[in-house]
Amino acid sequence: MEKLQKNFYNINSLELAKKLLGKYIIHEYDDHKLSARIVETEAYMGPYDKAAHSYNNRRTERNEVMYGEAGFAYVYFIYGMYFCMNVVANTKEVPEAVLIRALEPVEGEEIMASNRFKKELDELSKRQRINLTNGPGKLCMAMKIDRSLNGGDLCGNTLYIAGEMYQNRIKNISEEDIVSAKRINIDYAEEAADYPWRFYIKDNKYVSKMEKRQ
DNA sequence: CTACGGATTTTCT
DNA sequence: GAAAATCCGTAGT
């Protein structure tokens, strides 16, 4: 089934953020199987990245997972209401991660509609349909990703990631299909706020925020 | 389509 | 005690 193996993740978060585009996140729970394609990511480069939770090697109970091995989930609670999912990158003691910012639903879209809006899929407005998974907090609601999955092994059998060949889909992402842009909502990060460390698949309708056309 | 303010509570200082 | 890797409803263009 082409689940990604540990060595896939053991690179820096900038490279991993790009490599994760087009891969599939799968969550199995309660007889449900939800899957979705990754279409937008952001790299957080650790000690020298003012936007990262691990800036200056800050190490707390919350971000402890970032200091562990690559290929595990870092799920944190934000703004009093939401969760964000990250993929831990790089080797032990190098605290880097990739924030998953948007997904395109593949399997279990009915369940996602229920998780997000407590409605049937065909009852959703056009806007709600796009809003299922087009943001880091939204996709966690849709995929039922919460605190309990923090520290989970992404090579395990609950929350895991598969390659482009998943379900015999073959849609490799080429360099030209990747857009890079400034990261979102990190105004506090000074010069790091301008680094182009956000990546998304060009023209994908689930991307949370498009850049202005040139 | 974009812009703004309010929601809500964990986490860190 | 303040800030936070966000979202939503409403109002305006």
Side-chain angles (χ1 to χ4, degrees):
Chain A
M1 191 275 274
E2 218 208 338
K3 190 178 295 183
L4 300 178
Q5 299 302 305
K6 277 278 153 28
N7 57 11
F8 176 91
Y9 301 99
N10 202 7
I11 53 179
N12 77 53
S13 68
L14 271 174
E15 291 180 54
L16 185 60
K18 287 181 268 191
K19 264 178 87 179
L20 280 170
L21 292 175
K23 304 296 190 288
Y24 296 86
I25 293 189
I26 299 149
H27 187 198
E28 295 188 32
Y29 69 96
D30 294 350
D31 285 332
H32 297 313
K33 181 175 186 179
L34 306 180
S35 65
R37 184 163 171 257
I38 301 173
V39 302
E40 180 181 354
T41 58
E42 275 178 4
Y44 286 85
M45 285 292 278
Y48 60 91
D49 176 4
K50 284 187 179 167
H53 291 166
S54 52
Y55 173 60
N56 216 4
N57 274 306
R58 191 169 52 157
R59 189 167 184 158
T60 66
E61 199 172 347
R62 178 176 67 162
N63 71 10
E64 185 61 31
V65 196
M66 290 182 79
Y67 286 82
E69 281 176 47
F72 287 79
Y74 172 37
V75 180
Y76 64 86
F77 188 66
I78 189 69
Y79 294 118
M81 276 179 277
Y82 305 108
F83 292 100
C84 288
M85 176 193 170
N86 296 251
V87 175
V88 175
N90 223 320
T91 194
K92 211 164 173 345
E93 302 301 322
V94 181
E96 299 178 10
V98 175
L99 172 67
I100 306 298
R101 282 199 59 88
L103 301 174
E104 174 181 325
V106 172
E107 291 172 280
E109 199 169 358
E110 282 286 351
I111 306 294
M112 295 183 201
S114 164
N115 288 344
R116 284 277 287 129
F117 302 109
K118 301 264 181 284
K119 284 167 115 177
E120 299 290 320
L121 186 57
D122 57 21
E123 291 176 324
L124 299 186
S125 67
K126 200 166 182 181
R127 181 171 176 165
Q128 286 177 315
R129 190 119 175 188
I130 288 295
N131 271 304
L132 279 174
T133 52
N134 68 346
K138 300 176 201 177
L139 69 90
C140 283
M141 292 185 250
M143 296 285 286
K144 211 170 184 69
I145 293 170
D146 62 24
R147 199 187 304 284
S148 70
L149 295 169
N150 185 42
D153 187 355
L154 295 173
C155 298
N157 297 310
T158 305
L159 183 66
Y160 53 94
I161 305 181
E164 288 94 344
M165 294 291 291
Y166 181 64
Q167 285 193 338
N168 295 321
R169 290 156 177 263
I170 307 172
K171 275 192 203 165
N172 268 314
I173 303 297
S174 61
E175 282 289 329
E176 306 93 73
D177 296 325
I178 299 179
V179 180
S180 59
K182 289 182 188 180
R183 293 174 292 179
I184 308 278
N185 288 342
I186 51 163
D187 300 339
Y188 55 86
E190 301 172 7
E191 78 278 359
D194 293 326
Y195 299 165
W197 289 353
R198 170 175 174 243
F199 304 97
Y200 60 85
I201 297 179
K202 195 176 164 187
D203 297 329
N204 187 282
K205 64 179 180 178
Y206 286 93
V207 170
S208 64
K209 226 177 175 186
M210 305 286 182
E211 300 306 292
K212 285 179 185 165
R213 293 195 171 279
Q214 329 233 5

